[in-house]
Amino acid sequence: MRLTTKGRYAVTAMLDLAFYSQDKPVTLTEIAARQTISLSYLEQLFARLRKAGIVQGVRGPGGGYQLNQDAKKISIGAIVEAVNEPLDSTKCGGEANCQHESMCLTHDLWMGLSEHIESYLTNITLADLLAKGDERRNAEQMGESVVKIRRTRKKS
Amino acid sequence: MRLTTKGRYAVTAMLDLAFYSQDKPVTLTEIAARQTISLSYLEQLFARLRKAGIVQGVRGPGGGYQLNQDAKKISIGAIVEAVNEPLDSTKCGGEANCQHESMCLTHDLWMGLSEHIESYLTNITLADLLAKGDERRNAEQMGESVVKIRRTRKKS
DNA sequence: CAATAGTTGACTATTCTACTAGGTTAAGTA
DNA sequence: TACTTAACCTAGTAGAATAGTCAACTATTG
């Protein structure tokens, strides 16, 4: 399990999507505006999320993206894993035989750590995070300043 | 907290160091041989670890590196943090004001996750991992095949 | 049909990773 | 004192990952 800014972008976008797509699909353009993530980068991330079956694209006017599953079923770990490429997990793939015995010792220990974090992230769902957000949103009203931005694209 | 292969290299090397430096300093050349990590890359990692006060260098023949603190005091989180550069933590530094209110919502949630993982890694020490290794090493004798390698360096 | 919006792919700049190459300094040993 | 050892330091570099642009599609709605 790798933890980088790419995963954070994906989780941020998914939280936004889960929050705003309760009645209708949300366009990436909206998410890009709200979360200040570039539209094209979002497109890349959501292409992976769609292939992983986490979100569903709806084409045409009024379209956008929706969750493909219940927010209670979508784990943070799944989101992070979807956008990161597999990571060849050290020279000795999995539990293979390393030349140096002490190597695999430390390697196993690191894998143990990694698996712990992975299982932690897998046991937190989008719904959990949304609930935490609701708590926080009691006092301060949540702003709805959806700035209409236009895609940076030249006309042909 | 970023979790990448760089951190794993550092933890692997530190485990090796903690294990073998109980009576005398351990040279990076030895660690490089045992863990199959390039010597010069280890030098870079240990330069950071030394600046962080985690290890101590001993110069001259018979020199090498030692732990600068008790293995019980050295956390995995500290090792990982020492070798990674600070990471500018999103556009809004810390708890600063973002333009879009919803941004900071999701941002806060991610920071919460990140802090959890950080505290987990901070609460595991080198000594803990060494103990786990001892358990494992009961049945299978640990090999001591220290291959003598020479530094890849041209003579002037 | 036209507008909307997703889908796809190619292409770019920057940063990080992992490593190579070499030089300098400090400390033991012959 | 000369030699060896090994830390310490600086610079460079191929390749991967990150973050993003640009442009051409395709499917759907009105």
Side-chain angles (χ1 to χ4, degrees):
Chain A
M1 170 78 46
R2 249 199 345 252
L3 274 189
T4 60
T5 51
K6 193 174 192 174
R8 189 182 55 216
Y9 275 114
V11 172
T12 299
M14 284 298 295
L15 275 167
D16 184 284
L17 177 64
F19 184 77
Y20 286 103
S21 73
Q22 268 138 17
D23 45 342
K24 60 171 171 47
V26 171
T27 67
L28 293 188
T29 308
E30 287 176 56
I31 298 177
R34 275 193 295 261
Q35 310 301 334
T36 52
I37 305 173
S38 103
L39 175 56
S40 298
Y41 195 42
L42 277 179
E43 284 175 346
Q44 279 180 42
L45 297 178
F46 273 77
R48 286 171 175 276
L49 292 170
R50 194 176 52 84
K51 273 169 199 152
I54 295 173
V55 298
Q56 193 183 12
V58 180
R59 294 179 153 208
Y65 279 96
Q66 290 173 321
L67 301 185
N68 197 28
Q69 314 163 37
D70 188 6
K72 291 192 197 71
K73 299 277 183 183
I74 301 177
S75 76
I76 303 304
I79 297 171
V80 172
E81 201 145 286
V83 297
N84 288 335
E85 28 255 68
L87 163 65
D88 55 344
S89 77
T90 350
K91 282 118 194 175
C92 53
E95 35 268 293
N97 45 350
C98 306
Q99 283 84 3
H100 313 281
E101 295 85 6
S102 57
M103 166 85 186
C104 248
L105 175 72
T106 54
H107 170 250
D108 284 352
L109 294 172
W110 177 266
M111 290 304 273
L113 285 178
S114 183
E115 271 158 27
H116 173 95
I117 291 166
E118 192 161 342
S119 80
Y120 170 73
L121 288 182
T122 307
N123 284 320
I124 295 184
T125 66
L126 263 188
D128 294 335
L129 288 192
L130 283 175
K132 270 193 196 164
D134 279 336
E135 288 172 26
R136 207 167 300 194
R137 222 176 301 102
N138 284 344
E140 29 171 346
Q141 186 74 8
M142 186 157 183
E144 199 91 4
S145 65
V146 181
V147 182
K148 183 70 179 178
I149 63 162
R150 197 166 303 275
R151 189 166 184 181
T152 60
R153 178 177 291 188
K154 276 175 189 153
K155 288 278 170 175
S156 58
Chain B
M1 170 79 45
R2 251 203 336 256
L3 272 189
T4 60
T5 51
K6 192 174 193 174
R8 189 182 56 217
Y9 274 112
V11 172
T12 300
M14 285 297 296
L15 276 167
D16 184 284
L17 177 63
F19 185 77
Y20 287 103
S21 73
Q22 267 138 18
D23 45 341
K24 58 170 173 50
V26 171
T27 67
L28 292 190
T29 308
E30 288 176 56
I31 298 178
R34 276 192 295 260
Q35 310 301 335
T36 52
I37 305 173
S38 104
L39 176 56
S40 297
Y41 195 42
L42 276 180
E43 284 177 345
Q44 280 179 40
L45 297 178
F46 274 75
R48 286 171 174 277
L49 292 170
R50 193 174 51 84
K51 273 168 199 154
I54 295 173
V55 298
Q56 192 182 12
V58 179
R59 292 179 154 208
Y65 279 96
Q66 289 173 322
L67 301 186
N68 197 29
Q69 314 163 37
D70 187 7
K72 291 192 198 72
K73 300 275 184 185
I74 301 176
S75 77
I76 303 305
I79 297 170
V80 172
E81 201 146 287
V83 297
N84 287 335
E85 28 256 64
L87 164 65
D88 54 342
S89 77
T90 351
K91 281 115 195 177
C92 53
E95 36 268 293
N97 46 350
C98 308
Q99 283 83 1
H100 313 280
E101 295 85 6
S102 58
M103 166 86 186
C104 249
L105 174 72
T106 53
H107 170 250
D108 285 352
L109 294 172
W110 176 267
M111 290 304 274
L113 284 178
S114 184
E115 271 158 27
H116 174 95
I117 291 167
E118 192 161 341
S119 81
Y120 170 72
L121 288 182
T122 306
N123 283 321
I124 295 183
T125 66
L126 262 188
D128 294 334
L129 287 193
L130 283 175
K132 269 193 197 166
D134 280 335
E135 287 172 27
R136 208 167 302 196
R137 223 176 299 103
N138 284 343
E140 28 170 348
Q141 188 72 8
M142 186 156 180
E144 199 92 4
S145 65
V146 180
V147 182
K148 182 72 181 178
I149 64 163
R150 198 165 302 278
R151 190 169 185 178
T152 60
R153 178 178 293 189
K154 276 176 190 154
K155 289 279 170 173
S156 58

